[in-house]
Amino acid sequence: MKKDIYILGIETSCDETAAAIVKNGREIVANVVASQIESHKRFGGVVPEIASRHHVEQITIVIEEALRRADLTMETIDGIAVTEGPGLVGALLIGVNAAKALAFASQKPLVPVHHIAGHIYANRLVTEFTFPLLALVVSGGHTELVYMKEHGHYEVIGETRDDAAGEAYDKVARTLHMPYPGGPHIDRLAHEGKPTIDLPRAWLEEGSYDFSFSGLKSAVINTVHNAEQRGETIAPEDLAASFQASVVDVLVRKTQRAVAEYGVKQLLVAGGVAANKGLRGALEAAFANTAVELVIPPLSLCTDNAAMIAAAGSIMYEKGVRADLDLNAIPGLEIETYNDDE
Ligand code: KG4
Ligand code: ZN
């Protein structure tokens, strides 16, 4: 019988301090997330220095809590997976240093993980992967279409040229005086309104899988300001619905085209914006009567967590990818870095 593999995952790339233990790459044994959202809310976004300070305070507690909930000791852990990048450098460093200290003290292998690979592998905690597959990654910092021919191999076929989808959500929410992070608020408001306002959709050049959301964001801001200057009021729910319709339309249509061109068997949705009800509904409708299996993780696995890092780390561990104790945080790490053929 094959021995069970337990990977401890650590994630501190942005504003969640998280540790989790995953068994055999697919089974969550413990998943602990300490969110800092309340501390960043009054600034309307993540303040890097505050994020680092919170990570320092929380990291040991969160790791100990994950082991306690799993009822395991470091003895049983086979490897320590940690987010190496991308993210805020000062935030990443807290997780990387904690993982290094733990790897040194317990003499366990250290496995570097790309944050977006983590978001993609959140899906494997739900369903086994069927290759080739396509992942639509929509988070606060990234909007990408990633093609995977096998485990741990990533090909970015399209990405945002300016703002990420989540970033656009957060900025539009701010314009409408909503708290950070704004995505969930806009999502809720959108369902109360109608998409009556004509907003741009950036399709870019023929055949491109890239995205652009800054024009849309500016159009929303201008619409609000122009109305204010004229002393008119725009129903915020209609503006939210119109904005969401534009984002969802572009994401779904580009994804549909890529799914067809690349002949994939599965479509995975990943990142914080995968929690969006409008996007989930539109993707479900678009792929309902197709041979493509649509996978969307539950809300708790869409936003930042360490179970996804442990899940991606399990594959890296199996592939024999290891980091030395000189591992550093890489804020701009590319997802293709650990492809076998790179
Ligand atoms: O993946 P994530 O937790 O962090 C990054 O790695 O960036 O994504 C956070 C982003 C935020 O911009 C947040 O506003 C957005 O995900 N988000 C949503 C929803 N829930 C979270 N955006 C739209 N609709 C939602 N329901
Ligand atoms: Zn993330």
Side-chain angles (χ1 to χ4, degrees):
M1 219 175 72
K2 239 177 110 184
K3 181 197 167 296
D4 288 328
I5 301 292
Y6 290 91
I7 300 294
L8 169 70
I10 297 174
E11 154 67 38
T12 63
S13 69
C14 191
D15 59 350
E16 327 276 354
T17 318
I21 295 160
V22 165
K23 180 177 162 185
N24 299 330
R26 299 211 42 216
E27 194 184 315
I28 299 176
V29 186
N31 188 16
V32 182
V33 183
S35 175
Q36 314 173 354
I37 285 178
E38 286 307 318
S39 305
H40 297 286
K41 241 182 196 162
R42 66 196 178 101
F43 302 106
V46 177
V47 182
E49 287 76 11
I50 295 178
S52 308
R53 207 156 64 218
H54 275 284
H55 287 312
V56 172
E57 284 167 12
Q58 293 295 319
I59 190 70
T60 314
I61 300 168
V62 163
I63 294 170
E64 280 172 358
E65 179 64 11
L67 286 163
R68 195 190 62 77
R69 284 194 203 168
D71 199 15
L72 295 175
T73 61
M74 279 310 292
E75 198 81 347
T76 327
I77 302 297
D78 294 279
I80 302 161
V82 63
T83 307
E84 177 190 12
L88 303 168
V89 70
L92 287 164
L93 274 171
I94 313 298
V96 166
N97 283 325
K100 289 202 287 194
L102 206 53
F104 179 71
S106 61
Q107 290 297 299
K108 301 286 180 182
L110 186 61
V111 182
V113 174
H114 189 282
H115 182 76
I116 298 302
H119 274 299
I120 294 174
Y121 271 86
N123 286 278
R124 195 166 177 244
L125 297 166
V126 181
T127 309
E128 183 54 283
F129 286 2
T130 317
F131 298 102
L133 65 78
L134 190 75
L136 169 64
V137 180
V138 274
S139 75
H142 294 258
T143 304
E144 284 171 9
L145 279 167
V146 182
Y147 174 80
M148 290 178 72
K149 60 174 182 179
E150 61 191 26
H151 276 303
H153 192 285
Y154 312 92
E155 195 187 320
V156 178
I157 64 163
E159 63 195 324
T160 184
R161 295 188 184 167
D162 37 60
D163 292 1
E167 207 177 338
Y169 264 96
D170 294 339
K171 286 180 183 162
V172 164
R174 213 169 153 161
T175 306
L176 295 177
H177 310 293
M178 287 171 171
Y180 172 86
H185 300 285
I186 297 282
D187 193 10
R188 203 173 342 92
L189 200 60
H191 288 273
E192 292 165 16
K194 290 203 166 54
T196 49
I197 301 156
D198 196 23
L199 293 170
R201 283 153 174 72
W203 299 111
L204 306 178
E205 331 66 80
E206 175 89 24
S208 172
Y209 291 119
D210 281 351
F211 301 95
S212 165
F213 293 108
S214 74
L216 170 63
K217 175 196 68 188
S218 304
V220 172
I221 296 171
N222 289 342
T223 306
V224 172
H225 290 171
N226 291 345
E228 272 169 9
Q229 271 162 10
R230 287 198 299 265
E232 297 167 8
T233 46
I234 292 182
E237 60 273 20
D238 289 344
L239 193 58
S242 308
F243 166 74
Q244 180 142 308
S246 172
V247 174
V248 169
D249 198 12
V250 174
L251 289 175
V252 173
R253 298 253 292 267
K254 292 216 176 205
T255 303
Q256 267 180 312
R257 199 156 48 74
V259 160
E261 186 185 331
Y262 283 80
V264 298
K265 297 192 173 122
Q266 241 176 6
L267 171 64
L268 314 178
V269 192
V273 185
N276 187 271
K277 288 196 202 70
L279 179 62
R280 291 168 94 99
L283 286 170
E284 274 158 17
F287 291 96
N289 296 311
T290 67
V292 180
E293 185 191 6
L294 172 67
V295 189
I296 311 180
L299 300 191
S300 62
L301 294 177
C302 287
T303 44
D304 288 351
N305 64 87
M308 68 185 200
I309 301 304
S314 301
I315 290 296
M316 301 283 271
Y317 175 86
E318 272 174 42
K319 285 185 146 203
V321 178
R322 301 288 182 267
D324 293 328
L325 290 179
D326 63 358
L327 179 69
N328 205 350
I330 307 178
L333 185 69
E334 305 262 337
I335 198 169
E336 290 99 344
T337 303
Y338 293 99
N339 287 355
D340 293 339
D341 47 11
E342 290 287 312

